[in-house]
């Protein structure tokens, strides 16, 4: 399928059986990557889904992109540009709204899959605007409360389902950060599964199949 000209660059894999309103999975890559990275998952994802892999708006030469800037020389080795992150959440929200119309998607069956920085903002979008999202799959990331919309905690998150995974030896986003995610989701009444693997900052085959099996059960 040829992608429509929407507000963010993206790739699309249509569902195998065309329906009036297909369920959709939006893929949000990590810092320095691009829309082709997670799109490599598409051939092995459920055929009923319209898979949309999105390119982040900030360019990182020579061929990478980011959702927000990171200063690797700051405290703890990282400093995130929170204002850019919030702006990107709004861009993701607008893009999903555009894609629902352009690709005839079911607005009640929208899932988000993020990796690393893409996970941070997928959580920010889902927790800030839970009415837009059915499922969230967060790989090798964490929840950054500073990126959430004020008042998010007063919204109804009870319908959301989450799959969270992390590498125990992740040197980019520490495992200790990811370990805080379950308590955060518990506080919001979100049903989730949290898996961890003896890996670094990446998605092992076991991790991928665990994620895919969970997704199949929650479509």
């Amino acid at each position: 399928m040829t992608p429509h000209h929407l507000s963010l660059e993206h790739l699309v894999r249509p569902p195998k059986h065309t329906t009036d309103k297909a369920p959709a999975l939006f893929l949000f890559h990590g810092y320095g990557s691009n829309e082709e990275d997670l799109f490599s998952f598409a051939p092995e994802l459920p055929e009923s889904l319209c898979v949309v892999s999105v390119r982040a708006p900030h360019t990182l030469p020579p061929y990478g992109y980011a959702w927000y800037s990171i200063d690797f020389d700051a405290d703890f080795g990282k400093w995130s540009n929170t204002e850019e992150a919030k702006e990107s959440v709004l861009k993701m929200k607008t893009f999903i709204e555009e894609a629902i119309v352009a690709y005839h998607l079911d607005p009640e069956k929208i899932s988000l899959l993020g990796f690393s920085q893409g996970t941070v903002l997928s959580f920010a979008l889902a927790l800030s605007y839970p009415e837009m999202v059915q499922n969230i799959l967060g790989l090798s990331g964490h929840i950054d409360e500073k990126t959430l919309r004020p008042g998010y905690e007063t919204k109804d998150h009870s319908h959301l389902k989450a799959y969270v995974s992390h590498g125990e030896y992740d040197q980019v986003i520490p495992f200790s950060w990811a370990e805080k995610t379950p308590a955060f989701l518990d506080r919001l009444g979100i049903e989730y599964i949290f898996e961890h693997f003896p890996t670094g900052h990446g998605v092992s085959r076991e991790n991928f199949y665990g994620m895919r099996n969970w997704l199949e059960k929650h479509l």
Side-chain angles (χ1 to χ4, degrees):
M1 175 186 287
T2 302
H4 289 265
H5 292 290
L6 305 181
S7 57
L8 292 174
E9 295 291 330
H10 59 287
L11 298 171
V12 182
R13 190 215 70 182
K16 185 173 182 180
H17 303 292
T18 304
T19 60
D20 182 40
K21 289 187 177 182
L25 177 66
F26 288 84
L27 311 179
F28 299 104
H29 64 76
Y31 181 87
S33 188
N34 59 50
E35 70 277 19
E36 295 180 356
D37 184 12
L38 296 180
F39 198 64
S40 63
F41 290 169
E44 297 190 65
L45 293 173
E47 294 179 343
S48 62
L49 286 169
C50 179
V51 178
V52 185
S53 189
V54 191
R55 179 194 297 176
H58 298 284
T59 302
L60 288 178
Y63 52 80
Y65 299 86
W67 298 100
Y68 53 89
S69 303
I70 296 177
D71 181 356
F72 290 97
D73 294 322
D75 291 343
F76 305 109
K78 311 179 165 39
W79 177 80
S80 300
N81 188 317
T82 302
E83 290 309 309
E84 282 185 3
K86 290 179 177 179
E87 290 170 3
S88 284
V89 170
L90 293 177
K91 289 178 181 179
M92 292 161 66
K93 177 179 180 290
T94 296
F95 174 80
I96 290 172
E97 292 168 341
E98 294 172 348
I100 287 172
V101 175
Y103 297 116
H104 309 291
L105 307 177
D106 187 341
E108 302 296 322
K109 295 183 178 180
I110 301 299
S111 299
L112 312 180
L113 187 157
F115 176 77
S116 192
Q117 193 179 78
T119 289
V120 175
L121 294 199
S122 291
F123 271 123
L125 177 59
L127 301 184
S128 298
Y129 305 96
E131 65 277 5
M132 291 185 63
V133 181
Q134 177 190 27
N135 300 312
I136 176 170
L137 300 95
L139 314 179
S140 302
H142 69 108
I143 296 174
D144 182 351
E145 195 166 5
K146 296 188 298 295
T147 64
L148 304 184
R149 186 185 185 191
Y152 75 91
E153 65 272 17
T154 65
K155 295 204 169 189
D156 181 9
H157 299 86
S158 60
H159 66 283
L160 278 175
K161 303 291 188 295
Y163 173 89
V164 185
S165 67
H166 213 89
E168 296 165 1
Y169 307 111
D170 193 324
Q171 295 182 329
V172 177
I173 296 180
F175 183 61
S176 60
W177 293 13
E179 285 184 303
K180 298 176 183 178
T181 301
F184 203 107
L185 299 179
D186 280 333
R187 192 164 72 247
L188 296 176
I190 296 172
E191 180 183 319
Y192 66 88
I193 181 172
F194 178 54
E195 295 189 328
H196 49 93
F197 303 89
T199 58
H201 193 65
V203 181
S204 67
R205 198 151 190 82
E206 184 182 7
N207 189 176
F208 174 78
Y209 285 128
M211 176 272 294
R212 188 185 67 177
N213 291 340
W214 183 91
L215 180 62
E216 289 174 340
K217 294 175 183 177
H218 291 84
L219 291 178

